[in-house]
Amino acid sequence: MRFIGEVPAHDLTYSDVFLVPSRSDVVSRLDVSLAPDDGTPATIPLVSANMNSVTGPRLAASLARRGGLGVLPQDMPLQELDAAIRWVKNQPVLWDTPTVFGPNATVADVVEEIPAVEGHGVVLMDGDEYVGSIPTKRLATALPDARLGDLLRGSQASLDAEDIQTGRRAFDLMADASLSFSAVLRHGKLVGSVSQRGALRSTLYAPAVDNDGRLAVAAAIGINGDVQAKAKALIGAGVDVLVVDTAHGHQEAMVSALRRVSELNLGIPIVAGNVVTAVGVADLVDAGASIIKVGVGPGAMCTTRMMTAVGRPQFSAVLEAAAEAAEQGAHVWADGGIRYPRDVALALSAGASSVMVGSWFAGTIEGPGRLRTDPSGKLYKESWGMASTKAVQERFGRLDSYEFARKMLFAEGISSSKIYLDPERPSIEDLLDMITSGVRSSFTYAGARSVAEFHERAIVGVQSAAGYEEGKALPVSW
Ligand code: XMP
C-alpha cells in the first residue's frame, strides 16, 4: 500500500482514509480471490470475534460454510467449547444446519429464533420422522399461537441429498419446483436444509474446511491457568486455529503463555493479541504466534480509550503491525471497529490478512441468544463487551464476594446494548454477501486479483470529515 501525497504525520482511523482507484485489468469481481493466505483454512478474509454475544456454534458453522472462521470465546467452559467444536465439525458443508421444531411448536416459538423473512425456513420432525418444511416468510401472516403442524398444507416436499450433489443442481431443482426452502433427506433421514439463496451461495463461496472436509472452526484461550492443558483439549476436539487472547497482548504473561502453547508444536496456526505496535508484533511472533491480532479500543463495545486513553487509531495500528508481521513472515488480523464493507477493504489495504468482526455480526439470526422484540416491535439481540461488568459477572461469578467486587471495579466495556436485526440483512450470510461484494469491487478498482496483490497495489488517501460525509448515500439504511 502507498499513500497518495505525503505520508500523514498523525495516526488515522478507517474514516480518515479512502482508496484511490488505479489502472486495472481486473474485469470482473469474480476474477478476485479473497482467500487470506495466512495458514488458516479460510477462503474469505473474515473472522467473527471471540465474544459470547457474537460467536456461538451456529454462527461459526454458517460462517465457515461461506469461507470465514468463527472464533469461539475463551469464556465458554472447556466442556462446552469441546462440544461446540465437535458440533461444528458434524454440520453439513454443502447444506445448511436445519432448524428443527416439533409439529406442536407455535409460530411464536419460531420467531424467537428465525424472523418471518425470505430465505429461511424450519423443518418439522416428529421424533425421527420427517413431517414437512415451512419457509418462515409464510409465518408473517400467521397468528403467534398457531401450531406449525396446522400450517403445513402441501409442504411435505423434500430434496434427496443424492439428487443435489452441487449447489447449482439444487438451485435448478428448487427453481423448477418453485420451492424457496426444503429439508434435505438421505435414505429418509434428515441431513440438512437448503434455501434457493443458500444453494446459489454455495456456488459462489468455497467453504473453510479441515483436511477431512469438515467445517473449520477456531477457538480462544486466555493467558491464565494451565494454557497447555486447554490448548491440548481444544486440539483433541478438532480445533483448526487457536487464538491466545487478552486485552493487553504486549505483556509478560502473554509472552510466557504463548511460549508454553507453542512448545507443544500443535501444527495449527496460533493467533495472539491484542497489540497495536511493531514491537508488540515482534515480541509475539518471537514467542510463537504466526498471526497477530491488532486493535486496542476501536471495538463497538470498548470503553478502554475513554477510560484509559490507551489505544491507537485502527488504520495506523494495522498498517504498522502488518509491515512488521510481513518482515517476520507472519500475518495480522485487524480486530474491531468494522461498521461498513469499506472498513474491511481498508484493513486489508493496510496489510491485514483477515478482519475480525464483533458487534456487527451479533444481531444476526445466527448469533447467540434469542431474538427479542422492543416496545416498537423491532427485533434485536443483546450484546455486551467482553470486559464489561456483565462479562466479568459471568466469568468470575464463582469468586468470593471481595475478589469479585474488586474485579467489577475494573470492568472496561459496555454491559448491554441492543443490536437490532437489519430487516434487509437479517442473516450473517446477507452481511457476508454485502461485505464480500464490496471488497471484491475494491480489489477490481485497485487492479488486484488476490489479497497479496491488494496489499501491494492499494493506494490510500487521507480525507476530511466532510470528505467522509460526502461518501454516504441517502437514505442511509445499513
Ligand atoms: P467490534 O467493533 O467488531 O469489535 O464489536 C470487536 C472487538 O472488540 C474488542 N472487545 C472489547 N474491548 N472492552 C474492550 O475494550 C470490551 O468489553 C470488549 N469486548 C470486545 C475485542 O477485541 C473484539 O474482538
Side-chain angles (χ1 to χ4, degrees):
M1 183 228 98
R2 69 177 170 83
F3 281 105
I4 191 165
E6 276 176 36
V7 176
H10 58 275
D11 279 354
L12 302 163
T13 67
Y14 295 134
S15 311
D16 289 325
V17 288
F18 62 95
L19 288 165
V20 183
S22 43
R23 188 166 173 157
S24 168
D25 65 353
V26 185
V27 185
S28 157
R29 292 182 213 198
L30 294 175
D31 290 341
V32 163
S33 159
L34 292 182
D37 206 14
D38 55 6
T40 68
T43 65
I44 61 169
L46 291 165
V47 290
S48 66
N50 44 309
M51 294 167 68
N52 292 3
S53 58
V54 175
T55 308
R58 183 176 173 193
L59 185 130
S62 301
L63 186 51
R65 215 172 266 125
R66 304 302 172 221
L69 265 185
V71 186
L72 297 164
Q74 61 268 41
D75 270 11
M76 285 170 89
L78 206 50
Q79 249 184 343
E80 258 179 56
L81 259 183
D82 180 284
I85 293 166
R86 291 177 197 276
W87 184 88
V88 172
K89 298 269 158 207
N90 272 324
Q91 296 314 299
V93 176
L94 191 53
W95 317 122
D96 295 333
T97 301
T99 305
V100 176
F101 284 91
N104 287 326
T106 63
V107 170
D109 296 329
V110 174
V111 293
E112 281 190 3
E113 280 199 46
I114 308 181
V117 292
E118 199 78 64
H120 297 266
V122 291
V123 176
L124 265 53
M125 297 288 289
D126 194 357
D128 285 342
E129 191 87 2
Y130 173 66
V131 179
S133 307
I134 306 182
T136 36
K137 181 85 204 259
R138 266 188 37 205
L139 304 182
T141 49
L143 291 171
D145 59 358
R147 265 180 82 254
L148 299 181
D150 294 336
L151 298 174
L152 260 181
R153 289 177 277 111
S155 313
Q156 286 86 337
S158 65
L159 291 170
D160 190 321
E162 305 304 323
D163 291 341
I164 49 168
Q165 305 275 6
T166 64
R168 177 61 200 265
R169 173 91 180 122
F171 183 88
D172 290 343
L173 273 180
M174 294 180 85
D176 287 349
S178 299
L179 266 183
S180 65
F181 173 84
S182 170
V184 181
L185 307 185
R186 179 175 284 126
H187 308 305
K189 230 183 108 205
L190 180 68
V191 292
S193 64
V194 61
S195 65
Q196 250 190 54
R197 208 176 286 175
L200 181 66
R201 285 186 178 120
S202 60
T203 68
L204 297 171
Y205 293 86
V209 290
D210 62 21
N211 290 336
D212 298 323
R214 303 172 306 171
L215 292 177
V217 62
I221 59 172
I223 56 173
N224 300 316
D226 188 345
V227 288
Q228 288 196 330
K230 286 183 201 164
K232 281 189 205 157
L234 298 181
I235 289 284
V239 80
D240 299 281
V241 176
L242 186 71
V243 180
V244 185
D245 183 70
T246 191
H248 180 21
H250 200 194
Q251 58 163 305
E252 299 304 333
M254 163 60 89
V255 171
S256 85
L258 202 45
R259 286 201 195 289
R260 274 176 283 146
V261 169
S262 35
E263 260 169 32
L264 297 172
N265 289 321
L266 297 171
I268 59 169
I270 297 177
V271 185
N274 281 18
V275 300
V276 288
T277 59
V279 63
V281 171
D283 286 347
L284 299 195
V285 173
D286 183 58
S290 61
I291 299 173
I292 308 300
K293 198 149 74 75
V294 172
V296 174
M301 297 291 145
C302 299
T303 56
T304 303
R305 296 231 187 121
M306 288 302 142
M307 291 285 286
T308 66
V310 174
R312 191 170 186 190
Q314 183 70 347
F315 182 79
S316 296
V318 174
L319 190 61
E320 181 177 308
E324 178 64 24
E327 286 275 308
Q328 310 263 353
H331 306 273
V332 154
W333 285 0
D335 174 20
I338 300 295
R339 312 274 175 272
Y340 301 101
R342 75 182 292 285
D343 302 334
V344 176
L346 287 164
L348 297 177
S349 78
S353 67
S354 201
V355 177
M356 182 171 256
V357 179
S359 310
W360 203 12
F361 287 169
T364 56
I365 292 172
E366 296 83 358
R370 301 208 156 255
L371 282 165
R372 297 166 192 215
T373 311
D374 80 357
S376 70
K378 279 164 64 183
L379 294 169
Y380 69 92
K381 285 195 178 180
E382 206 194 332
S383 189
W384 59 93
M386 290 307 288
S388 65
T389 47
K390 182 175 166 77
V392 173
Q393 227 154 11
E394 285 188 349
R395 197 175 309 143
F396 296 111
R398 61 192 179 283
L399 290 179
D400 73 54
S401 20
Y402 174 72
E403 279 303 323
F404 176 62
R406 276 165 56 104
K407 294 267 185 217
M408 292 289 278
L409 269 182
F410 297 114
E412 264 175 39
I414 291 173
S415 258
S416 179
S417 174
K418 290 187 173 84
I419 307 281
Y420 282 95
L421 191 86
D422 178 349
E424 300 290 318
R425 299 181 188 88
S427 159
I428 187 173
E429 302 204 47
D430 301 318
L431 295 181
L432 297 180
D433 290 347
M434 175 172 65
I435 296 172
T436 55
S437 115
V439 174
R440 281 176 183 280
S441 196
S442 309
F443 278 36
T444 66
Y445 275 106
R449 287 186 171 76
S450 65
V451 172
E453 276 186 29
F454 193 59
H455 289 165
E456 281 284 303
R457 294 184 58 97
I459 303 174
V460 168
V462 178
Q463 66 189 349
S464 62
Y468 180 76
E469 274 305 304
E470 184 189 55
K472 285 187 173 168
L474 282 176
V476 183
S477 71
W478 292 93

